[in-house]
Amino acid sequence: MSAFRVIQALTAYQGLPLVHTFPFDETDPKAPQYTRPLDLTGRTVVAQLRGRPKVKVKLLKVLEDPPAPGVYSFKLILGGVEYPFTVTIEPGETAIDFVEKFLKAIANLDLEVKACAETCGAAGEVIVAWPWPGVEWDLVIVSQPEPDQIEIDDVQAADVLLATFTVQTATSGDYTAITIKLSGVQTGALPMAGDGPFNYRLTATKNDDPTDVLLLARGHLIVGRT
């Protein structure tokens, strides 16, 4: 495993895309006095954002796909006030449908709860966070049509995967340009007040040897308000 080639802080603004490009080169083995674009052949390039939020973070998991049809009841408790909401699943609807309906139901509460799926977690998962520290809140399942269809876990105690960047590579002159991107949806779902800086890592793992990892870039990511 190599040392990090770049250590650099980045800044993201909630609701706005973040795009950053890193240039990488390496010594040309045929002509050591020269460099060439970094060879990433046979490697998978991944960039992830992780952190230990000071605020409470919840993870909703859809355990069965498709989930049992029926009404799933929840309540969000914020400052001692309960906000009930439901998600209704029709026969044949999938975990993806559940996640979409859950996100819409959370948004309809018109609170400042941040919820993110797809680009922030695995399929059938939703990360939910309240962005303001010091405010007690909770998200609980009231009922579900059948046992063990969904569950809600606390995930803020350990290092949490907050988002996975979209990664693009291209040759640019004497360099391999690696561009990492977070969408506006992803940055909008990041907790901000009292949190961070979060940590990102850009790595390239050899496809046939997971222990062979190029540590390309790392650093803090600070989240600001637009």
Side-chain angles (χ1 to χ4, degrees):
M1 188 177 284
S2 62
F4 277 104
R5 296 166 182 251
V6 175
I7 300 177
Q8 181 176 345
L10 302 177
T11 300
Y13 294 93
Q14 286 187 322
L16 295 180
L18 168 66
V19 181
H20 188 82
T21 299
F22 297 95
F24 294 101
D25 62 6
E26 64 183 1
T27 300
D28 190 332
K30 296 181 180 179
Q33 69 272 32
Y34 298 106
T35 61
R36 67 179 188 182
L38 179 63
D39 185 6
L40 295 173
T41 303
R43 293 182 180 272
T44 299
V45 182
V46 175
Q48 293 184 329
L49 179 67
R50 307 186 71 91
R52 291 181 173 85
K54 297 180 181 70
V55 297
K56 181 183 290 187
V57 177
K58 295 282 190 174
L59 176 63
L60 169 73
K61 295 181 180 179
V62 182
L63 303 176
E64 296 293 335
D65 191 10
V71 177
Y72 293 75
S73 298
F74 303 85
K75 62 179 177 182
L76 191 147
I77 305 168
L78 180 61
V81 180
E82 295 185 359
Y83 298 87
F85 64 97
T86 60
V87 171
T88 301
I89 297 299
E90 303 295 338
E93 289 189 313
T94 67
I96 293 176
D97 297 314
F98 190 107
V99 167
E100 291 178 353
K101 290 186 174 184
F102 180 87
L103 291 173
K104 185 176 294 185
I106 284 281
N108 287 341
L109 293 177
D110 199 24
L111 302 171
E112 293 189 56
V113 173
K114 302 294 185 180
C116 184
E118 297 178 2
T119 52
C120 297
E125 295 184 355
V126 182
I127 294 174
V128 184
W130 174 257
W132 308 109
V135 178
E136 286 297 320
W137 78 280
D138 205 355
L139 176 66
V140 297
I141 300 168
V142 177
S143 65
Q144 48 186 314
E146 296 180 13
D148 300 325
Q149 300 297 300
I150 58 172
E151 68 179 13
I152 294 176
D153 293 331
D154 293 314
V155 294
Q156 77 275 17
D159 194 33
V160 180
L161 175 62
L162 298 174
T164 298
F165 293 80
T166 299
V167 178
Q168 294 179 335
T169 62
T171 300
S172 178
D174 295 330
Y175 297 92
T176 295
I178 302 180
T179 301
I180 62 174
K181 300 179 181 181
L182 289 179
S183 68
V185 172
Q186 288 174 291
T187 62
L190 294 176
M192 184 190 67
D195 277 10
F198 304 124
N199 299 305
Y200 74 88
R201 288 166 58 99
L202 174 63
T203 62
T205 302
K206 200 167 184 178
N207 296 336
D208 57 3
D209 182 3
T211 65
D212 185 343
V213 182
L214 295 180
L215 300 179
L216 299 174
R218 70 173 177 88
H220 293 318
L221 186 141
I222 300 170
V223 181
R225 181 182 296 176
T226 55

